[in-house]
Amino acid sequence: MAYKIQKKRLPDMLLEEGLVDKAQLSECVEVHRNTGQSLPSLLVGMGYLDEEDLAGTLSDNLGIPHIRVASCNVSKDVLKEVPESLARQYQMLPVSITGGVLTLAMADPLNIMAIDDLRMVTKYDIEPVVGIMSELRGAIDRLYGGSSEDQLLSTIMGKSAERFEEVMPDRDDDMRENLSTIATGAEIEPVRELVRLILKSGLDMSASDIHIEPFEKLVRIRYRVDGALEEAPIKPPKNLQPNLIARLKILSGCRIDEHRLPQDGRARMIYNDREIDFRVAFLPCKYGEKVVLRILDQGSLTLDLDSLGFEPQPMTAFREALTMPHGMILMTGPTGSGKTTTLYSALHRLNTMDTNIVTVEDPIEYELFGVNQVQVRQRIGFTFAEALRQILRQDPDVVMVGEIRDGETADVAVKAALTGHLVLSTLHTNDASGVFPRLIDMDVEPFLVQSSVALAAAQRLLKRICNDCKQPANIPQEVLTRIQYTPHDYIENPQFYRAAGCSKCKETGYRGRVAVVEVMLNWPELQPLVLGRASGHEIKEQAVACGMKTLRQNALAKAAKGITTLEQVLEHTIDD
């Protein structure tokens, strides 16, 4: 039996029954719109609605049964039809399968998106029944297997009604806590263990960033995984927000009594026998301080240029530029596109006993043995430009500047490249050809740009398709022609794939990311265009004529090899 969409809305049901008033409902609807959390969860979580009253109202108004799942036993064959990730995301539990119909206990049977998602995953018709939220969460933990994280969060939530004093500001002797395991039980210190849980969960998910965001009635945790933000199941009690922020400030060496100004800090933890650095940034917002932790995993950093997976043309050009005695190697791309990792990999190749390498960064993201790394301090006037001037007095062979942000830094970097130094840096432009006009816009003379730039590159990160569920895709020739695909000589059997989704990739179809880069050497044919202040488009056309493969072409090569999908190619690159 297929489930029919009901026209009646939950707010109307609740108002008719007199279970909530308009002010309470409006407040929760506003939070729902701002955060994306489900309306039933918000109403129950804020104490405006009893979860049993919610279940009864839904059952009566929708005409579907109300089931108690606290002691419900479900066979493993039925459980395996619904991925645990979906069960937890939508608070639903498979109960039984009869013929082609899957009976599904749901906290919110009005969630048509959840029903449609499950229908696509299981290929069954869905017959929803109403379950109580807390019972569903407990049954999911019991039947799918609750973790120590679940136990800890339950303990913290149980303690959240207690009053906690401000976290003591004294810094621990050894701040490198071990996040590999977490404590459970009644004797835990809630704030300390909550922070450990948030950090450990991010590391378990291979997240690159952790966002802790304060709203009027709640605190939201989100993790950036493979470039996309996803909400965490961890929902810290609002009354613990000041203590949570204070604990993070202690760990990162920031002032806990400063709430009006942004602060930056750094913390170091142990996870699975390796050290993990966290770059921590605090930003005052309307309802408290937002915190973003950038995870810097030294152990997972692969400083090998060959392992980055560049296509043949850009890899050959990169290698050639790194053998030059002087000049500028400039990486471009948006924030989070992997530019810094590529530059670190280049430095690793150049890092030999007879080479003096100095970097100036803001901040220093990874520590490189054998490389002298300098931290910019803008507040005391130690800027990129000033640091670069001082570095040039240290007899360097190779200099890396974290970012060329202004004309002064660009001018010093160009002069360094012209006086016998190899300079590596990043610049914000859309593609490699935009490097030349951008430097000229920063008041660097065209003849200096033409003489100093050895290589310009642009980089993007595309999601890597999951090898466990990818499926061959037959792409019509007219589509391939429209997106400018031409076969690559070095790919013998091109095959495109589509992302299907499975439990190992959390139904997304993707696991990990892969770098795509376009690399432009300063070919002699380009130099008259630079001197004539030509546009980036004109320079790009000439570079392609000289043999450069564009971002789109290199991304299509990745898709033809089955590493990513055409959807990712079209999302992250533009027509040439």
Side-chain angles (χ1 to χ4, degrees), residues 226-513:
D226 294 338
L229 281 171
E230 53 185 71
E231 187 169 2
I234 304 169
K235 301 188 186 303
K238 180 68 176 177
N239 66 310
L240 289 188
Q241 177 184 318
N243 307 71
L244 170 62
I245 301 303
R247 178 62 185 163
L248 288 168
K249 287 181 176 179
I250 291 170
L251 289 173
S252 56
C254 294
R255 291 179 53 185
I256 68 169
D257 60 342
E258 177 57 75
H259 306 288
R260 299 170 301 169
L261 295 174
Q263 294 190 76
D264 293 311
R266 201 176 185 104
R268 177 168 290 181
M269 306 288 180
I270 304 296
Y271 175 75
N272 291 346
D273 298 322
R274 66 179 191 267
E275 290 189 343
I276 308 292
D277 285 329
F278 294 87
R279 197 176 80 207
V280 191
F282 299 87
L283 180 69
C285 295
K286 183 176 181 180
Y287 296 112
E289 291 170 273
K290 175 180 177 179
V291 189
V292 175
L293 299 98
R294 166 66 57 89
I295 299 175
L296 305 171
D297 185 356
Q298 191 96 11
S300 67
L301 181 65
T302 304
L303 295 180
D304 180 5
L305 204 59
D306 295 327
S307 69
L308 295 179
F310 294 168
E311 298 303 307
Q313 183 272 323
M315 179 57 75
T316 300
F318 227 106
R319 287 174 179 158
E320 181 180 338
L322 290 177
T323 63
M324 296 180 182
H326 55 82
M328 296 177 69
I329 295 176
L330 298 175
M331 292 293 304
T332 75
T335 301
S337 60
K339 302 186 298 294
T340 302
T341 300
T342 300
L343 288 182
Y344 274 127
S345 299
L347 289 180
H348 181 70
R349 173 167 291 205
L350 296 168
N351 189 13
T352 59
M353 184 58 70
D354 59 353
T355 303
N356 179 21
I357 302 176
V358 186
T359 73
V360 51
E361 305 172 62
D362 185 23
I364 297 172
E365 294 200 13
Y366 296 100
E367 296 177 5
L368 298 177
F369 178 77
V371 175
N372 304 281
Q373 296 175 271
V374 177
Q375 170 70 53
V376 166
R377 301 191 184 278
Q378 299 278 359
R379 290 184 180 178
I380 60 173
F382 193 52
T383 62
F384 275 113
E386 182 59 30
L388 187 51
R389 289 191 189 96
Q390 298 302 321
I391 285 172
L392 294 178
R393 298 171 184 169
Q394 295 289 318
D395 186 31
D397 299 298
V398 178
V399 177
M400 188 188 88
V401 183
E403 182 182 351
I404 295 178
R405 298 177 178 175
D406 51 56
E408 185 181 11
T409 307
D411 181 65
V412 179
V414 165
K415 289 176 180 175
L418 292 174
T419 53
H421 304 90
L422 188 61
V423 179
L424 289 73
S425 189
T426 65
L427 197 66
H428 282 290
T429 66
N430 290 326
D431 55 15
S433 62
V435 163
F436 300 97
R438 178 71 182 122
L439 287 173
I440 293 171
D441 286 343
M442 298 172 95
D443 294 328
V444 180
E445 290 294 334
F447 75 93
L448 294 177
V449 175
Q450 172 259 322
S451 303
S452 61
V453 175
L455 176 146
Q459 184 165 312
R460 301 290 188 275
L461 289 180
L462 276 59
K463 291 183 180 179
R464 189 185 291 268
I465 195 168
C466 175
N467 286 322
D468 292 300
C469 62
K470 68 180 184 181
Q471 298 177 357
N474 295 318
I475 311 299
Q477 184 56 48
E478 58 268 23
V479 174
L480 295 176
T481 300
R482 189 166 65 250
I483 63 176
Q484 302 175 341
Y485 170 74
T486 55
H488 299 75
D489 295 337
Y490 57 92
I491 304 177
E492 294 183 1
N493 299 303
Q495 174 62 62
F496 295 96
Y497 289 85
R498 71 178 187 88
C502 65
S503 59
K504 291 186 178 179
C505 61
K506 300 181 181 179
E507 310 302 327
T508 64
Y510 299 98
R511 293 169 68 188
R513 290 190 290 177

Side-chain angles (χ1 to χ4, degrees), residues 60-281:
D60 293 343
N61 281 270
L62 299 178
I64 57 179
H66 172 198
I67 185 173
R68 305 301 294 255
V69 297
S71 58
C72 182
N73 289 318
V74 181
S75 72
K76 292 184 178 179
D77 289 338
V78 174
L79 279 177
K80 72 180 183 182
E81 293 294 334
V82 178
E84 180 181 353
S85 58
L86 285 183
R88 292 189 184 278
Q89 179 182 350
Y90 292 126
Q91 296 186 64
M92 58 189 185
L93 181 74
V95 176
S96 63
I97 297 176
T98 305
V101 178
L102 169 64
T103 300
L104 187 71
M106 303 180 69
D108 181 12
L110 289 170
N111 191 336
I112 305 303
M113 182 182 297
I115 294 172
D116 287 344
D117 284 352
L118 200 60
R119 185 183 292 117
M120 291 178 62
V121 170
T122 64
K123 310 304 181 186
Y124 286 105
D125 286 333
I126 306 300
E127 182 176 348
V129 295
V130 183
I132 294 174
M133 285 184 186
S134 59
E135 291 186 2
L136 281 168
R137 285 194 293 268
I140 290 169
D141 288 342
R142 174 170 54 85
L143 295 169
Y144 283 99
S147 63
S148 57
E149 285 89 345
D150 299 321
Q151 299 172 32
L152 172 60
L153 191 57
S154 297
T155 305
I156 292 171
M157 294 299 287
K159 287 174 170 279
S160 67
E162 302 176 14
R163 178 178 177 84
F164 296 99
E165 299 301 325
E166 185 75 14
V167 179
M168 295 300 292
D170 51 312
R171 191 172 169 88
D172 295 348
D173 291 336
D174 183 5
M175 301 309 296
R176 296 184 300 172
E177 297 186 16
N178 193 329
L179 299 176
S180 302
T181 58
I182 57 175
T184 58
E187 300 306 316
I188 66 166
E189 198 286 298
V191 176
R192 182 185 295 267
E193 293 305 320
L194 176 59
V195 170
R196 288 163 56 81
L197 173 59
I198 292 170
L199 301 185
K200 180 181 182 298
S201 297
L203 292 167
D204 289 343
M205 295 171 65
S206 299
S208 61
D209 300 87
I210 302 172
H211 292 237
I212 302 173
E213 302 167 308
F215 295 95
E216 184 178 10
K217 298 290 185 179
L218 52 88
V219 179
R220 181 174 69 178
I221 309 294
R222 292 193 293 175
Y223 297 114
R224 188 175 294 281
V225 181
D226 294 338
L229 281 171
E230 53 185 71
E231 187 169 2
I234 304 169
K235 301 188 186 303
K238 180 68 176 177
N239 66 310
L240 289 188
Q241 177 184 318
N243 307 71
L244 170 62
I245 301 303
R247 178 62 185 163
L248 288 168
K249 287 181 176 179
I250 291 170
L251 289 173
S252 56
C254 294
R255 291 179 53 185
I256 68 169
D257 60 342
E258 177 57 75
H259 306 288
R260 299 170 301 169
L261 295 174
Q263 294 190 76
D264 293 311
R266 201 176 185 104
R268 177 168 290 181
M269 306 288 180
I270 304 296
Y271 175 75
N272 291 346
D273 298 322
R274 66 179 191 267
E275 290 189 343
I276 308 292
D277 285 329
F278 294 87
R279 197 176 80 207
V280 191

